Amino acid sequence: MNSFFRGLVDLFYPPRCLSCNDLLISGESGGFCQECWSRISFLSPPMCQICGAPLPSGENSAITCPRCTESPPPFQICRSIGRYESVLLEAVHALKYRGEIPAGIALGKILSSCVGEHFPVHDYDRVIPVPLHVKRLRKRGFNQSLILARAIARDFTLTLDFQSLRRRRHTDPQIGLGRKQREENVREAFVCVRGKEIENSKILLIDDVYTTGSTVTECARVLIEGGAQSVAVATVARA
Ligand SMILES: [Zn+2]
Ligand SMILES: [Zn+2]
């Protein structure tokens, strides 16, 4: 959009904070007002060098958490913007359950800077969003992870690939399930349908929330089995 139209849009639909809905003053960016921005619990070291799990303070960030040490996940690294609470939780809910696409676009921008900070972005070949099953996609009308992935693909001029990975099984919502149950729930739920496309590629996998990691773990496993060389994961929030 050129700046003239941007100006017109701002005049009639002035940008508002995604969390408290206050008008944003100039200079406030990223979709949140300064006060809400300061309430985001950004994740910072020390954290597991593989899955990004917060570690007790004083711990060395060059180590892995007990879970990754015991059974290393199929992805190389996973990082999230912040904890799944307050401002980030509200913004994810606005996107996912109320269909507020501007929230997704703003979260995509923030995730993109998180990715730029933590990942060797130009090493990747393609960005893949965690897919929804076609049933859920029809009901919701959009895939929230695709909106996030699109922002990253655009910012780093990477291929956006929303076709190679499919969700073939409609799974029950994971809310309230423990790790073992979540792992059961997503087993065999994904399939890699374009092996030729992803062969030897380095993939950046995008999801909205990392809870127990069972969804991204299963996606990464399927992509590696399908011929991908490596998978890295970025999510907006971490439960
Ligand atoms: Zn606010
Ligand atoms: Zn870990």
Side-chain angles (χ1 to χ4, degrees), residues 48-53 64-69 238:
C48 168
Q49 61 175 349
I50 299 177
C51 75
T64 53
C65 72
R67 219 179 113 192
C68 291
T69 310
R238 186 179 184 106

Side-chain angles (χ1 to χ4, degrees), residues 16 22 24 29 38 45 55 66 85 94 107 114 122 132 165 179 181 188 195 205 210 221 228:
R16 286 177 177 276
D22 269 4
L24 292 184
S29 57
S38 71
L55 297 173
E85 59 189 30
L107 289 175
C114 168
H122 296 289
L132 291 183
L165 184 66
R179 180 153 74 91
Q181 290 164 306
E188 316 273 298
L205 180 69
Y210 180 107
R221 190 187 67 75

Side-chain angles (χ1 to χ4, degrees), residues 2 46 52 77 98:
N2 74 32
I77 181 171
R98 298 200 299 278

Side-chain angles (χ1 to χ4, degrees), residues 16-22 24 31-37 39:
R16 286 177 177 276
C17 173
L18 290 166
S19 182
C20 67
N21 207 37
D22 269 4
L24 292 184
F32 297 101
C33 72
Q34 259 173 24
E35 202 192 315
C36 291
W37 180 263
R39 280 169 45 223

Side-chain angles (χ1 to χ4, degrees), residues 181-200:
Q181 290 164 306
R182 280 172 184 259
E183 280 170 9
E184 264 323 298
N185 200 30
V186 295
R187 189 158 299 148
E188 316 273 298
F190 299 95
V191 60
C192 177
V193 288
R194 299 197 307 174
K196 269 256 166 310
E197 290 286 323
I198 64 154
E199 203 172 5
N200 292 320

Side-chain angles (χ1 to χ4, degrees), residues 11 51 147 157 178:
L11 188 65
C51 75
I147 292 171
T157 45

Side-chain angles (χ1 to χ4, degrees), residues 63-100:
I63 66 164
T64 53
C65 72
R67 219 179 113 192
C68 291
T69 310
E70 197 190 306
S71 69
F75 52 81
Q76 286 182 320
I77 181 171
C78 174
R79 291 292 181 269
S80 312
I81 301 169
R83 287 181 196 275
Y84 193 37
E85 59 189 30
S86 74
V87 174
L88 280 185
L89 181 139
E90 288 154 23
V92 168
H93 279 202
L95 168 64
K96 236 168 134 170
Y97 304 119
R98 298 200 299 278
E100 291 176 21

